[in-house]
Amino acid sequence: MTPSAIGSEIRPIQWNGQYCTLIDQTALPHRYTTVEVRTSQQMAEAIRTMIVRGAPAIGVAAAFGMVLGLAEVGPDADQAACLAHLETVADSLRRTRPTAVNLFWAINRLLEVARTEGASFQHLERAALAILEGDIATCRAIGKHSLIALPETPHRLRLLTHCNAGALATAGYGTALGVVRSAWEAGRLERVYADETRPRLQGARLTAWELVEQNIPVTVLADTMAGHCLARGMIDAVVVGADRIAANGDTANKIGTYGVAILARYHGIPFFVAAPWSTVDLTLEDGSIIPIEERDPGEVRAIDGTVVCAAGVDFYNPAFDVTPAALITGIITETGVYAPADLRTGAPTSR
Ligand code: MRU
């Protein structure tokens, strides 16, 4: 049964004290199924294969991967042995996906707790649960702050988004879709336009599913159609999530985001990034040094298992691109809305 059918909210990662239950995002929208993850290796595999995906969600998942890792150590292991095993687990989780900094942030947080408070199951479980619950609160705060950033229009808002930065991509509620949900709850939203987001179709498969689950009007566009809709005055603002934001505001997000940002600027439409502070990487001066994941070329070669190109063709499959800060109207975080140039100060431009 889907979350709406049982009257609850979408929660992609649940912890029952012993193992995690993940919504299998590779099966949506055709089948709503869950997967039980009982070992750190299973968690690394679930992140790598995108059963769980989206920057904040893979951070939360990795945190529980560390908890599961600790449970794999024998009962007689001392602090040093626990820490050594946790370092190994951390390495394997870090190798799953390179771009979203939330993954590294969450792993480092759990290692810090193990080093400073002691590598006990209770300490690590409490830290992972705090990340999970904190993420939901963060998403709600992002939604609240977005209400002052979104343009005032004579009609209700028509928002364009790319990929899935929703409840599925976080612990719940979503970042870009948190903005959508807040606008909807405030009676300010008319409709969401969701880019289908080739090659993995997160917009068509996941964003559309989430919004339909909650009765929010959604229109799916092939990625090639965004320019046409912007030119026709069909969109009031663009809102996307982020996988890593450099200190100057350059933002890595799902491949295709950069093109949408250029189109929005050309048509004078505001372009917002919605993300938690755990996505901001102040150690990187600008976006040129953000590591960009390259995935299996087969994802471009075939759509839903059907090969769409002649044999002998080569493929290129970068999973993310970097939108320059100059194209970003505002970065909406849990502490307020930042002009990209103000990120380094830590003081929001408005809140
Ligand atoms: O490859 P994915 O599906 O993990 O990519 C997800 C995105 O690019 C999201 O927009 C981003 O992680 C923000 S999720 C709140």
Side-chain angles (χ1 to χ4, degrees), residues 12-13 20 22-23 25 40 42-66 89-90 92-108 110 128 131-132 135 164 166-172 175 202 206 242-244 254 276 278-279 291 293 295 319-320:
I13 304 159
C20 268
L22 305 178
I23 297 177
Q25 300 192 34
S40 59
Q42 286 173 352
M43 188 61 90
E45 197 55 14
I47 296 170
R48 199 185 59 73
T49 57
M50 296 176 67
I51 285 172
V52 59
R53 33 76 39 214
I58 62 176
V60 173
F64 284 107
M66 294 290 284
V89 170
S92 106
L93 289 164
R94 284 191 190 108
R95 279 197 299 272
T96 53
R97 299 196 71 190
T99 303
V101 75
N102 314 59
L103 178 89
F104 303 89
W105 172 86
I107 292 167
N108 290 342
L110 272 276
I131 291 175
L132 183 146
D135 188 58
N164 172 266
L168 287 168
T170 58
T175 56
Q202 288 94 331
L206 305 177
D243 287 82
R244 197 183 293 227
K254 181 50 54 195
S278 54
T279 306
E293 176 181 7
R295 295 189 62 84
F320 301 94

Side-chain angles (χ1 to χ4, degrees), residues 130-189:
I131 291 175
L132 183 146
E133 282 150 19
D135 188 58
I136 299 172
T138 290
C139 288
R140 289 191 182 275
I142 288 171
K144 184 179 108 224
H145 289 301
S146 73
L147 293 177
I148 46 160
L150 291 169
E152 293 292 340
T153 49
H155 50 262
R156 284 178 297 145
L157 289 162
R158 296 139 328 154
L159 301 178
L160 172 67
T161 192
H162 190 78
C163 193
N164 172 266
L168 287 168
T170 58
Y173 202 72
T175 56
L177 292 194
V179 171
V180 161
R181 287 190 166 90
S182 291
W184 180 252
E185 286 158 16
R188 287 183 60 192
L189 183 75

Side-chain angles (χ1 to χ4, degrees), residues 214-297:
Q214 300 199 313
N215 294 315
I216 298 177
V218 56
T219 300
V220 172
L221 304 173
D223 296 330
T224 42
M225 297 168 188
H228 172 82
C229 295
L230 285 155
R232 289 259 164 129
M234 294 164 62
I235 312 288
D236 301 302
V238 180
V239 189
V240 298
D243 287 82
R244 197 183 293 227
I245 304 173
N248 72 342
D250 290 353
T251 294
N253 190 47
K254 181 50 54 195
I255 193 76
T257 303
Y258 176 33
V260 178
I262 292 173
L263 288 166
R265 173 56 55 92
Y266 182 79
H267 292 290
I269 299 298
F271 180 94
F272 293 103
V273 170
W277 258 101
S278 54
T279 306
V280 177
D281 185 351
L282 292 176
T283 68
L284 301 185
E285 276 299 305
D286 63 55
S288 66
I289 40 182
I290 296 176
I292 300 294
E293 176 181 7
E294 279 191 36
R295 295 189 62 84
D296 178 358

Side-chain angles (χ1 to χ4, degrees), residues 48 50 198-200 293-302 315-319:
R48 199 185 59 73
M50 296 176 67
R198 271 278 283 151
R200 289 196 60 112
E293 176 181 7
E294 279 191 36
R295 295 189 62 84
D296 178 358
E299 292 180 351
V300 182
R301 183 167 166 261
F315 297 93
Y316 177 46
N317 189 16

